[in-house]
Amino acid sequence: MIKGNYPLGLFKDRRTPFYFYDTTLLQQTIEEVKRQIADRPSWQVHYAVKANANPDILRIIADAGLGADCVSGGEVSAALAAGFRPESIVFAGVGKRDDEIQLGLDAGIGRFNVESTAEMMVISELALAAGRRAPVSIRVNPDVGAHTHANITTGLAENKFGIHHSVLPEAIALAQRLPGLDFRGLHFHIGSQILDMSDFVSLCNRINECTEKLELMGIRLQDINVGGGLGIDYEHPNHLPVADFRSYFDVFKRHLDCKCPVHFEPGRSIVAPCGTLISRVLYVKDGLHKQFAILDASMTELLRPALYHAWHRIENLSSDGPEEKYDVVGPVCESSDVFGKGVVLNRCSRGDFIALRSAGAYGESMASRYNCRPLPESLLL
Ligand code: LLP
C-alpha cells in the first residue's frame, strides 16, 4: 500500500488526535489556482472560509492574495484577523443577523450576497442608518442539480438557498429601488464535491439564460460569482494531490457568455488535500465476526463520515505488518462514530499512528465538543 509521507518523529511526543497540515501542498495548490486564471486578470477567487478557518491556514491564503467567502459574522472577523482585505470579502448566508450585517458594513466588506427580499430590506435599512450603501449581489437559486451527496447540493428549487431564477427581475428591481443598496451582480452555488464537469456546464447554461434576459431588460451586471464546489480525489490522495483546476476553470472560460468579471468560491479543493487527521490506535478489539481498531480520534474531530457516510482514506503510518481488515471507530458514544468498515490496514497495535487523509476541508472547521472532548489541535509544516 502506498502511503503518505509524514514526519513521524515530530508526531511522537504530541498528544493525539491533531490535524497535520502540509503547507507546501497548500502553497502549490494556490499557485495552481493562480496559474489557471492568469489569463483572466479580472477573475477573482474568494476562498470559502467554512472549509477551514484555522488562523494559520487563513493567513497563508490571505498572504497569497486570495479573497474570502464568509457565511457568518464570526467568519468575517476571522478573515479580517487573518489579513484578508475587507473589499475582498464576500458575505453570503440565508440568515444573517443584524449585528453580523452591521459588522460587514463597518468593516467595508466587498459584497453582501443576499438571499431573500426580506434580507434586502433589512440590509438597506441598516446601511442607511450607517450613512452607507451596501454593495449587494443577489444569490440566485438556479434550480440546477449536482451529482453529489444530497446533503451538499444547494442549487435546487427545494433548497433554502437564494432567490429562484424565475423571479430574478423583480428581485433586482427591488434591490435597485432600495436606497441603502448598491446592486452589483449575481451569485450562484450549486453544491460541493462536484467531479462531473457537466454540472458546471449546466450552471453556465443557466447563468447565460439569466444574463441574456437581464441584458434585454437593460440591466448591467458588474460581476458574476459562480460559487465553489470543485471536488477532490479522496481515493488517491498520494498521486493526485492537487485538484483539477484546469478542467474546472476551462468550463467557465468556454461556456460563460458574459464577459464581465467572474468570481469563484472554492473551499474544499484548496484545503482538503493538505490536511490529515493524525490519531493513535487505543485498542484492537475482536468482535464476533470482525476486529475493531479503536482510535483516539472520533466524530468530534472529523464528522464527515458520521454525517454523510463520507469516505476518507485511512493508513497505518507506523506498521508494515500484513494487511488485515478492521472497522475503524472512535470512542464517542454513538454507533455512527465510525470512520470506515472493513478497512484494509497494515496490522494495527496499540499506539500506532493512523492517518485519516484529505481531511483539510470540513474537518477541523466542523469539530465539536460533544462528550466534553477538547477541540483538536493542529500542526503546520
Ligand atoms: N460558496 C457557497 C455559497 C457555499 O455554500 C459553499 C459550500 C462554498 C462556496 C464552498 O464549496 P466547496 O468549494 O468547498 O465545495 N460540510 C460539507 C460541505 C458543505 C459545503 C457547504 N457550502 C462536507 O463536509 O462535505
Side-chain angles (χ1 to χ4, degrees):
M1 177 192 270
I2 303 168
K3 297 186 212 171
N5 205 1
Y6 290 90
L8 289 189
L10 283 182
F11 296 175
K12 253 194 359 256
D13 299 322
R14 289 188 72 96
R15 195 179 72 170
T16 47
F18 63 89
Y19 274 95
F20 173 74
Y21 296 108
D22 175 349
T23 59
T24 309
L25 179 55
L26 176 58
Q27 303 275 14
Q28 283 167 353
T29 305
I30 298 170
E31 285 315 308
E32 173 65 5
V33 168
K34 290 182 172 176
R35 195 169 24 250
Q36 293 304 334
I37 59 167
D39 58 342
R40 296 286 196 283
S42 70
W43 286 16
Q44 281 181 43
V45 172
H46 307 270
Y47 163 68
V49 171
K50 64 173 82 63
N52 189 319
N54 179 301
D56 296 320
I57 297 281
L58 289 184
R59 212 165 299 121
I60 291 171
I61 298 172
D63 287 350
L66 268 53
D69 156 41
C70 300
V71 288
S72 71
E75 285 191 357
V76 172
S77 299
L80 290 168
F84 286 95
R85 288 177 298 111
E87 50 301 356
S88 77
I89 296 177
V90 300
F91 183 9
V94 287
K96 302 179 189 73
R97 285 196 316 262
D98 292 18
D99 62 297
E100 294 176 302
I101 295 168
Q102 195 66 52
L103 171 72
L105 288 169
D106 292 345
I109 63 167
R111 199 67 54 91
F112 290 88
N113 289 324
V114 296
E115 307 222 12
S116 63
T117 49
E119 181 194 344
M120 282 189 216
M121 293 194 254
V122 172
I123 296 183
S124 176
E125 246 172 59
L126 290 171
L128 277 185
R132 300 214 174 88
R133 287 178 76 207
V136 298
S137 286
I138 293 181
R139 177 162 179 183
V140 183
N141 186 317
D143 209 0
V144 168
H147 297 95
T148 185
H149 193 288
N151 286 13
I152 52 177
T153 57
T154 44
L156 289 172
E158 68 195 49
N159 297 133
K160 67 183 174 186
F161 301 100
I163 292 177
H164 195 262
H165 61 93
S166 60
V167 291
L168 185 56
E170 291 82 348
I172 294 178
L174 176 64
Q176 290 177 324
R177 242 188 357 261
L178 286 170
L181 301 189
D182 176 10
F183 171 72
R184 301 270 179 93
L186 303 181
H187 174 226
F188 299 80
H189 174 74
I190 53 172
S192 200
Q193 182 54 15
I194 297 169
L195 290 167
D196 185 343
M197 292 301 124
S198 70
D199 289 334
F200 293 117
V201 175
S202 306
L203 171 63
C204 289
N205 292 339
R206 177 67 84 207
I207 295 175
N208 292 340
E209 275 171 39
C210 289
T211 52
E212 220 170 273
K213 192 156 133 193
L214 296 178
E215 212 165 284
L216 289 175
M217 298 170 69
I219 296 170
R220 279 180 51 84
L221 301 172
Q222 194 169 309
D223 49 53
I224 291 174
N225 183 329
V226 300
L230 175 63
I232 63 139
D233 186 346
Y234 280 96
E235 259 175 74
H236 304 110
N238 298 317
H239 78 95
L240 280 178
V242 178
D244 188 3
F245 290 106
R246 175 196 287 269
S247 305
Y248 173 68
F249 287 118
D250 263 3
V251 169
F252 296 95
K253 288 178 189 174
R254 294 190 12 234
H255 294 275
L256 265 191
D257 293 341
C258 181
K259 295 290 166 261
C260 62
V262 184
H263 293 205
F264 299 84
E265 298 174 339
R268 184 191 316 269
S269 53
I270 305 276
V271 290
C274 77
T276 305
L277 179 59
I278 302 289
S279 94
R280 278 187 145 116
V281 175
L282 285 175
Y283 305 105
V284 177
K285 162 167 142 169
D286 286 326
L288 204 50
H289 306 295
K290 52 169 89 170
Q291 52 182 351
F292 296 95
I294 302 169
L295 307 187
D296 57 10
S298 75
M299 63 193 287
T300 67
E301 290 82 31
L302 181 61
L303 181 61
R304 304 190 69 252
L307 191 60
Y308 317 112
H309 293 290
W311 189 90
H312 286 262
R313 189 180 161 97
I314 305 175
E315 295 167 359
N316 185 341
L317 301 181
S318 19
S319 161
D320 288 321
E323 292 183 343
E324 295 182 10
K325 274 193 184 166
Y326 298 90
D327 278 17
V328 180
V329 303
V332 160
C333 302
E334 296 280 343
S335 300
S336 61
D337 187 23
V338 174
F339 289 120
K341 292 192 172 173
V343 180
V344 176
L345 293 174
N346 295 106
R347 180 177 289 156
C348 292
S349 318
R350 178 171 168 80
D352 281 353
F353 282 113
I354 302 293
L356 291 134
R357 305 292 307 274
S358 316
Y362 307 109
E364 192 179 345
S365 63
M366 290 177 77
S368 79
R369 294 226 37 217
Y370 185 42
N371 283 192
C372 292
R373 289 170 61 85
L375 290 173
E377 292 181 0
S378 60
L379 171 66
L380 281 81
L381 202 69

